[in-house]
Amino acid sequence: MPATIDSHSDWHRLRPATTHAVHVLLEQLENSEATEQGILDAYLYAKRLLAESTQALLRAGLPERYEPFHEMRSNLEEELRRRYGDRIDSRYLTVPYGSRVHEQLFTVLVQHLGEPVTADYLRVVTADSVHAERRTRELRELGLRVESKKVNSGDVYILASLELDFNLIPAVIKNNIRAKGPGPGTAELLAELGY
């Protein structure tokens, strides 16, 4: 699984500057005459570079395109069409959550299949401290067995299996109808599905 060239070059480009920024911060912290502003400036500079370089390092282990993600989505769409293709318009049979962030999260979870992945790791990979966990839960809505647990007061996510739970397909249909508005046959189908 080849990693992205840009991420490798970003990591190598950012690493010296990050090392320098951490040394500057350390010097400020060890200097008994350092000002609060000097420490703050060094901290903010190091924090930004550490975030960028760490993200580049983690992304260097991810491919530009991860085929199993697209295969999973294709299998789900095929099942949607098989079950409901003759009953509602094809616009309701699309698979949501296909963004690059979803693909990165899926890739990381597959790389650690059956193992806990911390929410912090996922946040760094996606550069999104607010929505990374939400995007991970959205993968669960597609039928992936993504378990969440608390470990040492932190959240972890575990992809237990790559097998899709097709029992969640009605929720995908319901959400698609809700997002795209009603159409021919949708009210009847929602009633039949218990929505």
Side-chain angles (χ1 to χ4, degrees), residues 3-185:
T4 64
I5 294 169
D6 288 346
S7 295
H8 279 295
S9 62
D10 285 348
W11 162 244
H12 291 296
R13 178 181 54 79
L14 290 166
R15 187 175 179 180
T18 303
T19 302
H20 173 71
V22 170
H23 284 297
V24 169
L25 176 59
L26 181 60
E27 288 171 2
Q28 286 290 315
L29 291 172
E30 290 176 338
N31 182 353
S32 60
E33 296 178 16
T35 65
E36 290 176 1
Q37 188 63 49
I39 293 172
L40 177 61
D41 289 346
Y43 163 74
L44 292 174
Y45 178 60
K47 178 183 172 185
R48 181 180 61 79
L49 281 169
L50 280 165
E52 288 178 26
S53 61
T54 303
Q55 181 187 50
L57 174 65
L58 296 180
R59 284 185 175 177
L62 302 179
E64 188 66 37
R65 178 178 167 86
Y66 191 54
E67 282 308 318
F69 176 72
H70 299 282
E71 290 169 13
M72 175 272 297
R73 292 175 51 75
S74 180
N75 291 340
L76 181 54
E77 184 171 343
E78 186 177 301
E79 186 65 17
L80 286 168
R81 291 182 184 284
R82 188 188 70 74
R83 289 186 185 192
Y84 306 112
D86 60 341
R87 302 193 54 197
I88 56 175
D89 189 84
S90 63
R91 67 186 169 129
Y92 301 110
L93 304 176
T94 58
V95 177
Y97 313 134
S99 72
R100 179 67 181 143
V101 169
H102 289 102
E103 185 174 2
Q104 289 171 333
L105 293 170
F106 177 83
T107 305
V108 169
L109 291 169
V110 170
Q111 287 176 341
H112 297 89
L113 186 64
E115 302 170 357
V117 179
T118 66
D120 290 335
Y121 188 105
L122 298 176
R123 287 185 203 113
V124 170
V125 167
T126 62
D128 189 342
S129 62
V130 178
H131 298 294
E133 293 170 74
R134 182 177 184 180
R135 300 289 91 85
T136 303
R137 288 191 300 272
E138 289 169 349
L139 291 175
R140 185 184 301 138
E141 290 177 28
L142 297 180
L144 288 168
R145 288 187 43 217
V146 181
E147 302 168 2
S148 59
K149 297 180 179 182
K150 285 268 191 211
V151 174
N152 298 329
S153 73
D155 294 321
V156 298
Y157 293 88
I158 303 165
L159 179 60
S161 167
L162 287 176
E163 187 175 328
L164 289 173
D165 180 359
F166 286 147
N167 292 323
L168 296 178
I169 283 180
V172 173
I173 293 292
K174 176 195 74 158
N175 291 338
N176 282 347
I177 293 171
R178 182 179 295 156
K180 298 172 184 186

